[in-house]
Amino acid sequence: MAWRRHLPALASAAASINEASDAWDAISDSLCDADGWPLDDEVYGNGKVKRDAEAWRHAEVFLDHGPEVLAGVRAAADGPDYVEGPISDDLRRLRGIDTTLLRAGAIRHEWDQVMALMDGSQPSVLHLYQERAEEHRNSEGWHYAHELSCQGPALVRAGEYLADRADTERPAQTERARVALTRSTHNTPAVPPASPPVPSASHPPTPGRSR
């Protein structure tokens, strides 16, 4: 279960996306009038830019580690886990995470292509374009970051449960194997002792002289 080592990072990433969202929600209403329109477009826009950037930074943690963990969870879960039990609801919540990761990955791939095209540009031009491209990427990725903040904890809970279950089952399996080996050794019939060697007949004794 090598994928289990990524669980703390995913849990932290999901919590950080929620923190960024909560921080924005705490001030966004105060930046708008009674009808919901921003009192200052620049201040309001800068707040969203900050939220989107922070959320995307942690969404990339899911892009780096999420697919491996998701594959591991699905390989470790069995049929009854999906029907009932502690993680059945979490496993159902993961049905849409493939699409979320796929579309967020497409946004990052597009970003990588844009940066590759800008390679070799003048530093001043590159800095300006990169800043605007980052804002666009983060804005496009906000929806998927928000989805991961909801789906991510379900993935972590399922992963932790399955990893703990494997740790619990492994000693039991080892003990059963030890008992079976001991029983097999005790039930093995004793091997009879080897017969004494038979003298070789290739040199018969010389007959005694007759008197």
Side-chain angles (χ1 to χ4, degrees), residues 148-172:
L148 290 170
S149 74
C150 302
Q151 298 165 333
L155 178 60
V156 172
R157 286 191 298 268
E160 289 175 343
Y161 173 82
L162 293 169
D164 290 343
R165 185 171 71 184
D167 289 341
T168 301
E169 291 176 348
R170 189 175 297 112

Side-chain angles (χ1 to χ4, degrees), residues 79-102:
D81 289 324
Y82 288 88
V83 178
E84 59 183 2
I87 60 171
S88 57
D89 289 340
D90 289 325
L91 291 174
R92 282 192 288 270
R93 289 190 185 98
L94 296 181
R95 290 172 181 169
I97 197 172
D98 302 84
T99 301
T100 304
L101 291 171
L102 181 64

Side-chain angles (χ1 to χ4, degrees), residues 14 33 36 41 61 68 89 97 104 115-116 119 121 129 140 159-160 195 201:
D33 60 21
D41 288 338
V61 176
E68 181 181 350
D89 289 340
I97 197 172
M115 289 298 100
D119 187 34
S121 301
Y129 190 86
E140 290 290 307
E160 289 175 343
S195 301

Side-chain angles (χ1 to χ4, degrees), residues 45-46 48-50 52-53 111 128-142:
N46 288 340
K48 288 189 65 176
V49 166
K50 180 181 179 181
D52 295 347
W111 159 261
L128 178 62
Y129 190 86
Q130 182 174 351
E131 184 177 355
R132 292 177 178 175
E134 282 181 354
E135 288 185 13
H136 176 75
R137 177 200 64 190
N138 298 342
S139 176
E140 290 290 307
W142 159 249

Side-chain angles (χ1 to χ4, degrees), residues 5 11 22 25 29 35 38 55 61 65-66 70 84 87 105 111 129 132 148 154 178 196 202 211:
R5 70 185 188 275
D22 291 343
D25 290 342
D29 287 345
D35 295 326
V61 176
H65 306 302
L70 182 61
E84 59 183 2
I87 60 171
W111 159 261
Y129 190 86
R132 292 177 178 175
L148 290 170
R178 187 191 67 78
S202 56
R211 296 192 180 208

